[in-house]
Amino acid sequence: MQSCVRGSQMDNYRKIRRTEEDSPLPFADLPPDTVEMRVKEGSKIRNLMGFAMGRMELQGTRQIVFSGSGRAVTKTITCVEIMKRRIRGLHQITKLRYKALQETWEPREPREGTPNLTLLKNVPSICILLSKEPLDPNEAGYQPPDTGGNLWLEEEEEVEVPLGDEEDPNPSPRGVKRTLCCGGAELVKKVTREDIQPPPLPNLLNYQQ
């Protein structure tokens, strides 16, 4: 039985089954040994990435596909970004589409003559192909490998500041450490609150206009 129930009526039902449309991947000429990772809403990213990284580190594995629909779309993108950071030089093609989803609900308090509900939905779906081999750059959704460097991994350098009044011709870039020097034996005195005295207030009794 197919029905449409809205509002508080759904509080009287509970979901017992959820099935997705089984559709082929939207990529042409995929090798038969391509790894496919189907990400679900309740999947754990640690388990997904443990298996996916183990397969992609094999010499014979050249491509992998991550797919997810509905609330699993965000988790699918997260898995892809993690893999791209761990394995450099991956080519990417992203495909968006809709998939048919069927949910079966039963009454929380079953009564004689009360049927189950079958809901049909169209939910957004995403499929992302990652490849060690170059892909067609004219393909819709193609993204080249990320060539940006890891700026946060660069070590900071110590730069000595010359003494005297001469200006350094090569100023230190932002984020690079510089030594603090004082001329001769002079020391920098720490200023405390007691060293800063407010000016005395005028004597109002002797004040004349």
Side-chain angles (χ1 to χ4, degrees):
M1 175 180 179
Q2 180 176 345
S3 177
C4 179
V5 182
R6 296 181 179 180
S8 59
Q9 296 182 7
M10 290 303 298
D11 296 338
N12 299 326
Y13 291 82
R14 60 184 177 185
K15 184 168 57 177
I16 60 175
R17 190 179 302 109
R18 180 179 185 269
T19 57
E20 295 183 3
E21 176 188 8
D22 190 10
S23 56
L25 295 175
F27 306 106
D29 301 330
L30 282 179
D33 59 345
T34 301
V35 181
E36 181 181 1
M37 302 295 298
R38 296 185 179 182
V39 183
K40 304 296 183 181
E41 181 180 348
S43 301
K44 294 185 179 299
I45 295 181
R46 178 179 299 179
N47 298 338
L48 291 171
M49 296 310 301
F51 178 83
M53 290 299 301
R55 295 296 301 271
M56 282 297 286
E57 290 174 353
L58 297 177
Q59 189 67 22
T61 305
R62 311 305 297 172
Q63 294 180 340
I64 187 172
V65 176
F66 286 89
S67 62
S69 59
R71 296 182 180 179
V73 169
T74 302
K75 188 174 296 185
T76 304
I77 299 175
T78 301
C79 293
V80 170
E81 293 301 322
I82 292 175
M83 176 160 288
K84 289 167 59 178
R85 285 186 174 91
R86 295 183 179 179
I87 302 179
R88 294 292 179 178
L90 294 178
H91 298 259
Q92 175 179 336
I93 293 181
T94 303
K95 298 291 184 180
L96 301 176
R97 57 181 180 174
Y98 281 89
K99 294 186 66 175
L101 179 67
Q102 178 176 318
E103 295 180 349
T104 303
W105 296 68
E106 69 174 5
R108 294 184 180 274
E109 298 179 359
R111 298 179 182 178
E112 184 177 356
T114 303
N116 295 340
L117 298 179
T118 300
L119 304 181
L120 299 179
K121 299 180 180 179
N122 286 327
V123 296
S125 176
I126 189 171
C127 293
I128 303 178
L129 170 63
L130 297 178
S131 175
K132 298 178 182 178
E133 303 293 342
L135 300 174
D136 184 5
N138 298 323
E139 180 77 16
Y142 172 78
Q143 183 176 339
D146 184 13
T147 58
N150 295 332
L151 298 180
W152 55 86
L153 296 180
E154 295 181 357
E155 297 181 356
E156 295 182 344
E157 299 180 356
E158 290 286 343
V159 179
E160 294 183 0
V161 180
L163 298 178
D165 299 331
E166 296 181 1
E167 184 179 0
D168 187 358
N170 299 319
S172 173
R174 184 177 183 182
V176 178
K177 298 179 181 179
R178 299 176 67 94
T179 58
L180 179 62
C181 301
C182 299
E186 296 181 359
L187 299 177
V188 179
K189 179 182 177 181
K190 181 179 180 182
V191 179
T192 61
R193 182 177 298 179
E194 289 75 11
D195 297 332
I196 304 177
Q197 298 294 337
L201 298 176
N203 190 351
L204 300 180
L205 296 178
N206 299 329
Y207 176 75
Q208 296 181 0
Q209 186 174 359

